[in-house]
Amino acid sequence: MTGADREYRRIRAERDRPGPVLRKAPGPTAWFDVRRGRTGHWAFSLNRITGIGLVFYLYLHLAVLSLLLAGPESWDGFLHLATTPIFLGLDVVLIAGLAIHGLNGLRVALIGTGLVPDRQKALFYTLMVLGAIVVVYSILHIAESA
Amino acid sequence: MSDPTPADGRTRRFRLFRYRRGDGAPRSETFDVPVGASRTVLEGLRWIKVHADPELAIRHSCFHASCGTCGVRVNGREALACVAALDATTTSVTVEPMANHPVLADLVVDMGPFVDRFTEPHPLVRPVEPAAGPAMSPEGEPHERFEDCIECGLCLSACPVAATDDTYVGPAALAYAQSLLDRGEGDRDAILDWADGPGGAWRCHAAFECTEACPSDVRPAQRIMALRRELVRPRRRR
Amino acid sequence: MSVRPSRLRSAHVLIVGGGGTGGALAHDLALRGVRVTLVERGEFTSGTTGRHHGLLHSGARYAVNDRESAVECIDENLILRRIAPGSFEENDGLFVALTDEDMAYYPSFLEGCEATGIPIEVLTPAQALSMEPGLNPGLRAAVRVPDATMDAMRLPLRFFATAKRNGAELLNHVEVTGLLIDQGVVGGAAIHDHVTGRDAEIRADIVVNATGPWSESVARMAGVDVPIRPSPGVMLAVRGRLCQMVVNRMHASGDGDIVVPQRALSVVGTSSWVVEDPDDLGVPEDHVRRMIEEGSRLLPAVADAPFRAAWSAARPLIGTRGDADSGRELSRTFKTIDHADVDGVEGFVTITGGKGTTLRGMAEVCADVVCRKLGSDEPCRTRETVLLPHTAAFAA
């Protein structure tokens, strides 16, 4: 085999190997890539982030509820913590997460079953506005009762 | 529309993704292209190849959004380079290959894996729906026309699910399957089983980025939703 | 000096140029059992082939002034429908007369179609308008012809797909940087691969130059000349499928005298001028304006249809220096040139000229020449062999 033949075979072999695959950005950082997505991408990313957040919250919630088993002092201790401003702030974050995830899920369900005609972007904005109203209302309500 | 020898000296900066097999990592390279020679991204890329760097690997064929070979990402957004217009005020543009397809070199991707996702060879021609076109031929037969999908792969590039999961068949393949069902072609049960499987229609998260990216009005996301509705309807045979 | 006859199976043919002609030739030779390698410096059909409007010619355009081309077209038209079913919008075409001049051309048009065997149907203007409501209502005569629409890239790609399945090695993004010549015999090519950035050599018994308007620059690598003048034309795509049938102007070839539906677009073509360098064509704005003007005379909606794209493509026209300046007068037929006969250079053949529609026919003639040089009279099988779907060209 001549040198030229060897070169040719090397070229063929290298071409046949699979090449690198670009992703929108490596891993979960893709979720925050502003340039690359339009509203649909944001809806997708928000849903994932809030979903993970809510799962995390669920474990936290169960852990907190387990305090009930430890008796009235530990529960009272928790209630004291639960009325601090920071905690109430986190409550608002939780409500926002629930609103976004729930309403977006509603959008996906409505679109997927064909109950809503082809207006998915309008639906997304409407539901997010609704969610924003819910969050604002809850902020006001919490601030009032605090 | 451009002249080979543009009179005004204004240029714009093209920032291109460069990669060769055997390179450790891709790199970025900039070129200054006359504004008059880059009214579309593809014109600019060709100017670079002819006048600045003949080594630049690019993909193109029809120049009018019919062949689907020039899919790239322009400033991060999916577009066909041949119709991605650059107006006089655009001073810089970044061009990268499509995402979620393996890169061959520079802006060229390997379309093999994309084409492999389709259930069967994509038929090109279908009858025109009577309502869509004007009078039919004198024999009363509907006119024929090509499928809208030009297999450009932009939908797969835009899909956030495809970005994290290579087993998802992707919007083009699902949209095509749905269009077969729509026309009563293909093996209905086989197609539905395929769409029901892992990596099929249920993997979609309704981001609708594919419909946004599609240059041919295929509306793959809507078709995937229609496919899901087909899947949840009771089947005739089992 | 002639090449020693060798059995086809051990022979190797290198095709330079991955347009429709190269692909069809790879297919033809692969079917005859020849080992084929094809190299294309860009994507397949990225030269001239992919850029045309997608007309499957009935040949009627050439029935009056270029009967040789017209017959080639109608023959190949029928063959392609048979071997590539499902690749054409078989909606026929119309030739439409608008002016007195057109009406003067009309009788010779009918005569030409009859003489060349192109089946036509004379229509009344009212019939034409009912078939194509978008036509200029002032049309004076109309003739229905067996034009059809193809996808300019995907139809040739079926030849590539079938050739690949039959063992041909098809390499895109590989550029020929020079030919290997020893004592007047071409023995292969030096190549540069754009994917890996590496150089290598490919040895072959025969090298075929199938590079269309670039034929001259490749032929020069062998120290020979070919009579090719790159002749570009502008095309314009507007949004909206303004017609279902191909619409042609009934006159001797002129600018903007055809509108071809392409999916949801309408493509208006074309114009003609001559250049030296097929890589640097430009898109003259006055030519684009002429497309709009002439196109809207056929289909008034063209005037207001939103712009989609405008581009140029270089036809490889056969003609020597000193021939007509606009390119229109040059023949649209094709030629196979065996440089051993013409220039005394062995192992090198050029196939050039022609139209998108005649790709299979061109390949047959060239493959006959190539096989004869290799000492075989293996027959051509491409008239009957149904082609694989285009996706097989990319599939693993």
Side-chain angles (χ1 to χ4, degrees):
Chain A
M1 202 187 294
T2 66
D5 288 331
R6 253 194 297 275
E7 263 310 294
Y8 181 67
R9 274 165 217 270
R10 198 172 298 147
I11 289 176
R12 293 302 324 289
E14 271 188 55
R15 283 176 66 120
D16 288 339
R17 263 208 309 260
V21 181
L22 300 186
R23 306 296 180 182
K24 281 183 176 288
T29 57
W31 297 349
F32 305 101
D33 195 340
V34 182
R35 294 181 318 161
R36 296 177 188 199
R38 298 193 175 94
T39 42
H41 186 93
W42 281 110
F44 172 82
S45 300
L46 281 174
N47 229 39
R48 289 213 153 175
I49 294 164
T50 52
I52 291 173
L54 288 170
V55 167
F56 180 67
Y57 165 74
L58 185 66
Y59 279 106
L60 210 60
H61 189 68
L62 291 172
V64 162
L65 287 179
S66 71
L67 291 173
L68 284 169
L69 299 169
E73 299 91 22
S74 48
W75 185 247
D76 286 341
F78 169 70
L79 283 182
H80 185 74
L81 179 66
T83 47
T84 57
I86 297 174
F87 203 93
L88 292 173
L90 287 175
D91 270 339
V92 172
V93 172
L94 171 66
I95 289 168
L98 280 167
I100 291 172
H101 197 85
L103 291 171
N104 201 24
L106 185 65
R107 172 187 78 99
V108 174
L110 287 173
I111 296 287
T113 52
L115 287 172
V116 171
D118 194 7
R119 305 289 309 281
Q120 76 97 16
K121 251 205 281 198
L123 188 59
F124 177 71
Y125 286 124
T126 310
L127 290 175
M128 289 303 106
V129 165
L130 191 63
I133 292 173
V134 166
V135 171
V136 167
Y137 174 78
S138 60
I139 290 175
L140 295 173
H141 194 73
I142 288 173
E144 214 182 278
S145 60
Chain B
M1 293 172 259
S2 69
D3 259 307
T5 49
D8 100 32
R10 284 182 304 141
T11 61
R12 37 174 148 244
R13 181 144 291 191
F14 272 65
R15 193 165 284 109
L16 302 184
F17 175 95
R18 300 302 300 269
Y19 175 73
R20 280 281 167 290
R21 286 301 164 82
D23 281 359
R27 60 198 163 85
S28 180
E29 204 169 327
T30 56
F31 297 91
D32 288 315
V33 181
V35 165
S38 53
R39 310 268 181 122
T40 65
V41 170
L42 183 57
E43 270 184 17
L45 293 175
R46 285 214 37 92
W47 186 95
I48 293 170
K49 192 169 169 73
V50 172
H51 294 109
D53 187 358
E55 296 293 305
L56 176 65
I58 53 178
R59 240 186 129 224
H60 60 78
S61 184
C62 74
F63 281 79
H64 61 285
S66 271
C67 66
T69 53
C70 64
V72 287
R73 282 183 297 160
V74 177
N75 297 331
R77 293 258 165 96
E78 281 73 17
L80 289 178
C82 63
V83 288
L86 299 172
D87 66 36
T89 60
T90 305
T91 49
S92 83
V93 60
T94 302
V95 189
E96 299 160 287
M98 293 192 287
N100 308 330
H101 303 257
V103 176
L104 214 53
D106 295 337
L107 301 174
V108 177
V109 299
D110 180 0
M111 295 302 277
F114 173 74
V115 154
D116 283 339
R117 292 158 192 255
F118 286 71
T119 52
E120 50 198 83
H122 191 159
L124 284 181
V125 176
R126 59 177 166 91
V128 177
E129 304 83 12
M136 307 216 213
S137 65
E139 293 82 19
E141 284 168 11
H143 288 295
E144 300 183 322
R145 70 167 276 174
F146 289 131
E147 279 285 339
D148 286 309
C149 177
I150 55 176
E151 298 160 4
C152 61
L154 290 179
C155 55
L156 193 69
S157 176
C159 175
V161 177
T164 51
D165 183 5
D166 273 330
T167 65
Y168 177 44
V169 295
L174 290 168
Y176 158 67
Q178 192 276 335
S179 72
L180 282 179
L181 293 182
D182 231 6
R183 291 199 302 281
E185 284 173 24
D187 181 340
R188 187 190 157 80
D189 278 347
I191 290 174
L192 289 176
D193 280 339
W194 167 84
D196 214 2
W202 302 111
R203 214 51 193 82
C204 169
H205 284 249
F208 278 70
E209 290 285 7
C210 50
T211 294
E212 281 290 318
C214 179
S216 273
D217 203 29
V218 171
R219 298 153 92 238
Q222 285 84 338
R223 290 185 183 272
I224 294 173
M225 296 305 151
L227 193 52
R228 287 185 178 181
R229 288 196 287 279
E230 277 308 303
L231 283 169
V232 298
R233 280 205 311 169
R235 313 242 197 121
R236 248 174 269 128
R237 290 192 311 258
R238 237 308 168 201
Chain C
M1 190 165 73
S2 58
V3 172
R4 242 193 13 241
S6 50
R7 281 213 229 113
L8 285 186
R9 233 170 322 168
S10 59
H12 181 212
V13 174
L14 175 65
I15 301 173
V16 181
T21 314
L25 182 61
H27 165 62
D28 195 321
L29 289 174
L31 280 183
R32 300 192 205 202
V34 180
R35 187 163 73 91
V36 178
T37 302
L38 181 151
V39 289
E40 159 58 49
R41 66 175 185 170
E43 175 57 272
F44 301 128
T45 73
S46 63
T48 298
T49 304
R51 300 184 204 190
H52 75 90
H53 36 43
L55 172 66
L56 179 69
H57 248 290
S58 58
R61 168 62 65 209
Y62 304 114
V64 176
N65 291 327
D66 190 350
R67 294 207 175 165
E68 197 185 342
S69 276
V71 171
E72 281 162 12
C73 283
I74 187 62
D75 283 346
E76 291 302 318
N77 179 314
L78 298 172
I79 294 171
L80 284 177
R81 288 178 203 236
R82 224 176 36 233
I83 65 175
S87 282
F88 305 99
E89 294 179 355
E90 301 192 40
N91 296 330
D92 289 338
L94 291 173
F95 269 77
V96 161
L98 300 176
T99 62
D100 289 337
E101 237 183 341
D102 295 348
M103 292 304 285
Y105 182 80
Y106 186 16
S108 33
F109 177 79
L110 293 176
E111 198 190 300
C113 290
E114 163 115 27
T116 50
I118 299 171
I120 58 171
E121 185 190 344
V122 173
L123 304 171
T124 65
Q127 283 174 319
L129 280 166
S130 78
M131 277 191 218
E132 278 298 348
L135 284 174
N136 183 336
L139 73 127
R140 314 241 314 250
V143 176
R144 186 175 175 188
V145 298
D147 280 341
T149 299
M150 70 166 101
D151 181 308
M153 179 191 143
R154 291 184 173 86
L155 186 275
L157 221 52
R158 291 185 75 162
F159 287 89
F160 284 88
T162 319
K164 182 175 170 179
R165 182 67 62 86
N166 290 327
E169 195 85 67
L170 308 172
L171 297 168
N172 53 10
H173 305 288
V174 171
E175 182 160 3
V176 166
T177 50
L179 293 175
L180 308 174
I181 308 180
D182 187 21
Q183 290 168 5
V185 180
V186 172
I191 57 155
H192 176 78
D193 174 34
H194 287 292
V195 174
T196 57
R198 292 173 179 278
D199 296 307
E201 287 174 357
I202 299 179
R203 301 210 161 264
D205 296 298
I206 296 188
V207 174
V208 180
N209 175 9
T211 52
W214 289 270
S215 298
E216 247 193 320
S217 51
V218 174
R220 256 184 256 126
M221 294 181 187
V224 300
D225 208 19
V226 294
I228 288 299
R229 303 200 74 188
S231 165
V234 154
M235 308 236 198
L236 166 71
V238 295
R239 286 191 192 267
R241 191 179 171 85
L242 305 176
C243 50
Q244 299 288 359
M245 306 168 76
V246 177
V247 178
N248 303 272
R249 180 77 178 276
M250 193 189 298
H251 64 182
S253 290
D255 291 351
D257 57 12
I258 185 169
V259 182
V260 183
Q262 273 289 346
R263 294 187 174 81
L265 303 174
S266 304
V267 180
V268 185
T270 179
S271 60
S272 189
W273 72 100
V274 180
V275 296
E276 290 295 326
D277 180 6
D279 273 326
D280 213 355
L281 299 177
V283 185
E285 287 205 35
D286 57 329
H287 282 234
V288 177
R289 270 197 297 274
R290 213 175 309 152
M291 294 303 111
I292 300 176
E293 273 161 33
E294 294 301 318
S296 51
R297 296 180 71 183
L298 291 169
L299 295 163
V302 167
D304 298 314
F307 175 88
R308 185 61 164 146
W311 68 102
S312 297
R315 315 165 183 83
L317 294 191
I318 298 176
T320 50
R321 304 232 112 48
D323 279 353
D325 281 324
S326 80
R328 286 220 180 271
E329 292 80 355
L330 297 170
S331 168
R332 299 310 317 277
T333 188
F334 61 86
K335 237 186 179 93
T336 300
I337 304 167
D338 182 350
H339 294 282
D341 296 336
V342 176
D343 303 289
V345 174
E346 205 30 271
F348 190 54
V349 173
T350 295
I351 169 72
T352 194
K355 313 187 56 55
T357 299
T358 56
L359 78 170
R360 189 221 63 89
M362 291 170 70
E364 176 173 354
V365 169
C366 186
D368 283 343
V369 168
V370 167
C371 285
R372 222 171 25 241
K373 285 172 78 71
L374 294 172
S376 161
D377 55 6
E378 190 70 27
C380 170
R381 291 190 192 79
T382 59
R383 279 169 198 265
E384 312 85 36
T385 307
V386 174
L387 299 171
L388 291 178
H390 67 280
T391 41
F394 294 126

